[in-house]
Amino acid sequence: MLSPARRHRMRVQAETESQRDANPMRHATGYEQMLVKLNEDKRRLKKVYGKEKKADIKRQMLPEYVPWVKGVMNSGRGAQDAIVMTVMIWRLDTGDVTGALEIARYALKHGLVSPDGFRRDSLPYLLAEEVASAAMRAWTAKEAVNIDPLLETLRLTDGEDMPDEVRAKLHKIIGYVYRDSGGTHEAMKHLQRALQLHDRCGVVKDIERLATVMKKQAQNSR
């Protein structure tokens, strides 16, 4: 036979469970509640096919995550956080490289890894590839590309393990941006490094043309 104390504990547990079933998020932590929101937003995004449309929706969603990300980064505890890491990726997807790097510095400092669902679990690998790709898309669309985030990405990922092709992609776009702004010597250095890392990265003709320009510049400066 159950004691009165045991019966009381069982009744309290039953009442607690019934309340939880009626309002499952009532006792959830702040992180759990944010994960529920994130998963709902991801389900919404899965229904959209176009990348530009997805990026537009992410831009609308991102402000809702700003307070959480700021709170996590200000606390400085460095625990793995799927919300923060997903926001970093979404910022890259929407062209906010500077905002993504702000999170990346924190993530790399504390050894955070890429969120679930990304084939590249190495954060430096993911960061270098995504930043380079975002910059290349903007450059191809003839948009202005700020070189500072590219150089910051190169610095943050220096010495980290990743495929040579990915690092070559980063050097390639840096070379293009330097070249377009008249920095021929810096451009040559990065394009040559890209070629050294990946001989099929598509910069051979660029290097040849740049060498011709530099030769003319040297002759005119005499």
Side-chain angles (χ1 to χ4, degrees):
M1 181 178 294
L2 295 173
S3 68
R6 177 60 176 159
R7 286 198 298 270
H8 174 72
R9 284 198 299 271
M10 289 180 68
R11 187 181 75 251
V12 171
Q13 289 173 351
E15 290 174 354
T16 300
E17 289 301 321
S18 65
Q19 290 173 354
R20 184 175 288 117
D21 291 341
N23 184 8
M25 294 310 297
R26 179 179 176 183
H27 302 284
T29 65
Y31 182 64
E32 289 169 339
Q33 292 176 15
M34 289 299 295
L35 279 178
V36 169
K37 171 176 172 49
L38 180 63
N39 288 331
E40 290 174 350
D41 286 344
K42 284 182 174 180
R43 282 194 291 271
R44 179 185 170 192
L45 288 166
K46 281 185 177 180
K47 298 177 181 178
V48 179
Y49 294 103
K51 289 185 178 180
E52 289 186 354
K53 182 65 175 178
K54 279 181 185 280
D56 288 339
I57 295 173
K58 287 174 182 177
R59 288 189 188 94
Q60 298 169 20
M61 293 175 171
L62 279 169
E64 300 176 4
Y65 292 91
V66 168
W68 178 267
V69 173
K70 285 186 176 180
V72 169
M73 293 175 64
N74 288 339
S75 73
R77 295 177 182 175
Q80 180 65 30
D81 191 306
I83 300 155
V84 169
M85 299 306 291
T86 301
V87 168
M88 186 194 78
I89 300 299
W90 285 5
R91 286 184 173 179
L92 288 172
D93 293 340
T94 59
D96 182 12
V97 176
T98 300
L101 287 176
E102 181 182 0
I103 297 176
R105 284 190 287 270
Y106 170 86
L108 289 168
K109 176 183 177 181
H110 294 287
L112 274 60
V113 300
S114 305
D116 291 340
F118 285 85
R119 62 180 177 82
R120 297 146 300 180
D121 57 358
S122 165
L123 178 56
Y125 171 10
L126 183 149
L127 185 65
E129 184 166 47
E130 293 296 328
V131 169
S133 296
M136 188 62 77
R137 286 193 299 270
W139 181 84
T140 302
K142 301 189 182 305
E143 298 173 4
V145 178
N146 185 354
I147 200 165
D148 291 337
L150 294 170
L151 294 176
E152 174 72 356
T153 302
L154 192 63
R155 184 189 68 79
L156 286 172
T157 60
D158 182 46
E160 300 287 350
D161 184 37
M162 69 182 70
D164 289 341
E165 292 83 354
V166 172
R167 201 179 299 279
K169 185 187 296 186
L170 186 56
H171 279 285
K172 178 179 178 178
I173 186 58
I174 291 174
Y176 283 174
V177 176
Y178 265 128
R179 182 194 62 188
D180 294 348
S181 62
T184 53
H185 289 279
E186 287 296 322
M188 179 64 83
K189 181 176 72 174
H190 285 282
L191 292 176
Q192 287 178 334
R193 180 56 177 153
L195 183 63
Q196 182 182 28
L197 288 165
H198 183 208
D199 60 4
R200 296 183 181 180
C201 67
V203 298
V204 172
K205 294 296 183 182
D206 295 302
I207 290 173
E208 291 174 356
R209 285 190 288 266
L210 193 58
T212 300
V213 171
M214 292 174 66
K215 184 177 180 179
K216 290 180 180 178
Q217 288 177 341
Q219 291 174 345
N220 292 336
S221 64
R222 292 175 184 173

